[in-house]
Coordinates of all heavy atoms in Angstrom, one line a residue:
M59 N -17.4 6.2 8.6 CA -17.5 6.5 7.2 C -19.0 6.3 6.7 O -19.5 7.0 6.0 CB -16.6 5.6 6.3 CG -15.2 6.0 6.3 SD -14.8 7.7 5.7 CE -14.9 7.3 4.0
N148 N -12.5 0.0 0.9 CA -11.3 -0.1 0.0 C -11.0 -1.5 -0.2 O -10.0 -2.1 0.1 CB -10.1 0.5 0.9 CG -9.9 2.0 0.7 OD1 -10.3 2.6 -0.3 ND2 -9.3 2.5 1.7
I173 N -14.2 5.6 -2.4 CA -14.8 6.9 -1.8 C -13.5 7.6 -1.0 O -13.0 6.9 -0.1 CB -15.9 6.6 -0.7 CG1 -17.0 6.0 -1.6 CG2 -16.4 7.9 -0.1 CD1 -18.2 5.7 -0.7
S174 N -13.1 8.7 -1.3 CA -12.0 9.3 -0.6 C -12.3 10.6 0.0 O -13.1 11.3 -0.5 CB -10.8 9.5 -1.6 OG -9.8 10.2 -0.9
G175 N -11.7 10.8 1.0 CA -11.9 12.2 1.9 C -12.0 11.9 3.3 O -12.3 12.9 4.0
G176 N -11.9 10.6 3.8 CA -12.1 10.4 5.2 C -13.4 10.8 5.8 O -14.3 10.9 4.9
E177 N -13.6 10.9 7.0 CA -14.7 11.1 7.6 C -15.4 12.5 7.3 O -16.6 12.4 6.9 CB -14.6 11.3 9.2 CG -13.9 10.0 9.9 CD -13.5 10.4 11.3 OE1 -14.1 11.3 11.9 OE2 -12.7 9.6 11.8
M187 N -15.6 7.4 -6.8 CA -14.9 6.7 -8.0 C -15.6 5.4 -8.2 O -15.1 4.4 -7.9 CB -13.4 6.5 -7.8 CG -12.6 7.7 -7.6 SD -11.2 7.4 -6.6 CE -11.5 8.5 -5.2
K228 N -9.2 4.1 -7.2 CA -9.0 4.4 -5.7 C -7.7 3.9 -5.1 O -7.1 4.6 -4.3 CB -10.2 3.9 -4.9 CG -10.0 4.2 -3.4 CD -9.9 5.7 -3.1 CE -10.1 6.1 -1.6 NZ -9.4 5.3 -0.6
H231 N -5.0 6.1 -6.3 CA -5.2 7.3 -5.6 C -4.4 7.1 -4.1 O -3.6 8.1 -3.8 CB -6.6 7.6 -5.4 CG -6.9 8.7 -4.2 ND1 -6.8 8.3 -2.9 CD2 -7.1 10.0 -4.3 CE1 -7.0 9.4 -2.1 NE2 -7.3 10.5 -3.0
N232 N -4.6 6.0 -3.5 CA -4.0 5.8 -2.3 C -2.5 5.7 -2.4 O -1.8 6.1 -1.6 CB -4.5 4.7 -1.5 CG -5.9 5.0 -0.9 OD1 -6.5 5.9 -1.3 ND2 -6.3 4.2 0.2
E235 N -1.2 9.0 -2.7 CA -1.2 9.6 -1.4 C -0.1 9.2 -0.6 O 0.6 10.0 0.0 CB -2.5 9.0 -0.7 CG -2.8 9.4 0.8 CD -4.0 8.6 1.3 OE1 -5.2 8.7 0.6 OE2 -4.0 7.9 2.2
Y236 N 0.4 7.9 -0.7 CA 1.6 7.5 0.1 C 2.8 8.3 -0.5 O 3.7 8.7 0.3 CB 1.9 6.0 -0.2 CG 1.1 5.0 0.6 CD1 -0.2 5.1 0.8 CD2 1.8 3.8 1.1 CE1 -1.0 4.2 1.5 CE2 1.1 2.9 1.9 CZ -0.3 3.1 2.0 OH -1.0 2.0 2.7
M239 N 2.8 11.9 0.6 CA 3.2 12.1 2.1 C 4.7 11.7 2.4 O 5.2 12.5 3.1 CB 2.3 11.2 2.9 CG 0.9 11.6 3.1 SD 0.0 10.7 4.4 CE -0.3 9.2 3.6
E304 N 2.4 3.2 9.7 CA 1.7 2.0 9.4 C 1.0 2.1 8.0 O 1.0 3.0 7.4 CB 0.7 1.8 10.6 CG 1.4 1.6 11.9 CD 0.4 1.6 13.1 OE1 -0.7 1.5 12.9 OE2 0.9 1.8 14.1
Q305 N 0.3 1.0 7.6 CA -0.5 1.0 6.5 C -1.5 -0.1 6.5 O -1.4 -1.1 7.1 CB 0.4 0.8 5.2 CG 1.1 -0.5 5.1 CD 1.5 -0.8 3.6 OE1 0.7 -0.8 2.7 NE2 2.8 -1.0 3.6
K306 N -2.7 0.3 5.9 CA -3.7 -0.8 5.8 C -3.6 -1.5 4.6 O -4.3 -2.6 4.3 CB -5.1 -0.1 5.9 CG -5.4 0.4 7.3 CD -6.8 0.6 7.7 CE -7.3 2.0 7.1 NZ -6.6 3.1 7.7
G307 N -2.7 -1.2 3.6 CA -2.4 -2.2 2.5 C -2.7 -1.6 1.1 O -2.2 -2.3 0.2
T308 N -3.4 -0.4 0.9 CA -3.6 -0.1 -0.5 C -2.3 0.4 -1.1 O -2.2 0.2 -2.4 CB -4.6 1.0 -0.5 OG1 -4.4 1.9 0.5 CG2 -6.1 0.5 -0.2
G309 N -1.3 0.9 -0.5 CA -0.1 1.2 -1.1 C 0.6 0.0 -1.6 O 1.1 -0.1 -2.6
R333 N 8.0 3.3 4.7 CA 7.1 2.8 5.8 C 7.5 1.6 6.4 O 7.7 1.4 7.5 CB 5.6 2.7 5.4 CG 4.9 4.1 5.0 CD 3.4 3.9 4.9 NE 2.8 5.1 4.4 CZ 1.5 5.3 4.4 NH1 0.6 4.5 4.9 NH2 1.0 6.4 3.8
C408 N -11.0 14.5 -2.2 CA -10.2 13.4 -1.8 C -8.9 13.9 -1.0 O -8.6 15.1 -0.9 CB -9.8 12.6 -3.0 SG -8.8 13.5 -4.1
I409 N -8.1 12.9 -0.5 CA -6.9 13.2 0.3 C -5.8 13.9 -0.6 O -5.0 14.7 -0.1 CB -6.4 12.1 1.0 CG1 -7.5 11.2 1.8 CG2 -5.1 12.2 1.8 CD1 -8.0 12.1 3.0
I410 N -5.8 13.5 -1.9 CA -4.7 14.1 -2.8 C -5.2 15.3 -3.4 O -4.6 15.7 -4.5 CB -4.1 13.1 -3.7 CG1 -5.1 12.6 -4.7 CG2 -3.4 12.0 -2.9 CD1 -4.4 11.8 -5.7
Ligands
6PG181 C1 -9.0 8.3 1.6 C2 -7.9 7.6 2.2 C3 -8.4 6.5 3.1 C4 -7.5 5.9 4.1 C5 -6.3 5.2 3.6 C6 -5.1 5.2 4.5 O1 -8.9 8.4 0.4 O2 -9.9 8.9 2.3 O3 -7.0 7.1 1.4 O4 -8.8 5.5 2.1 O5 -7.0 7.0 5.0 O6 -6.7 3.9 3.3 O7 -4.3 4.2 4.2 P1 -3.2 3.7 5.1 O8 -3.8 3.3 6.4 O9 -2.8 2.5 4.4 O10 -2.1 4.7 5.2

Side-chain angles (χ1 to χ4, degrees):
M59 286 294 284
N148 272 334
I173 301 180
S174 177
E177 300 171 22
M187 300 151 238
K228 175 60 168 47
H231 164 283
N232 280 26
E235 174 186 304
Y236 279 43
M239 288 195 282
E304 298 170 14
Q305 62 162 307
K306 289 201 274 302
T308 42
R333 290 194 191 192
C408 66
I409 305 295
I410 64 169

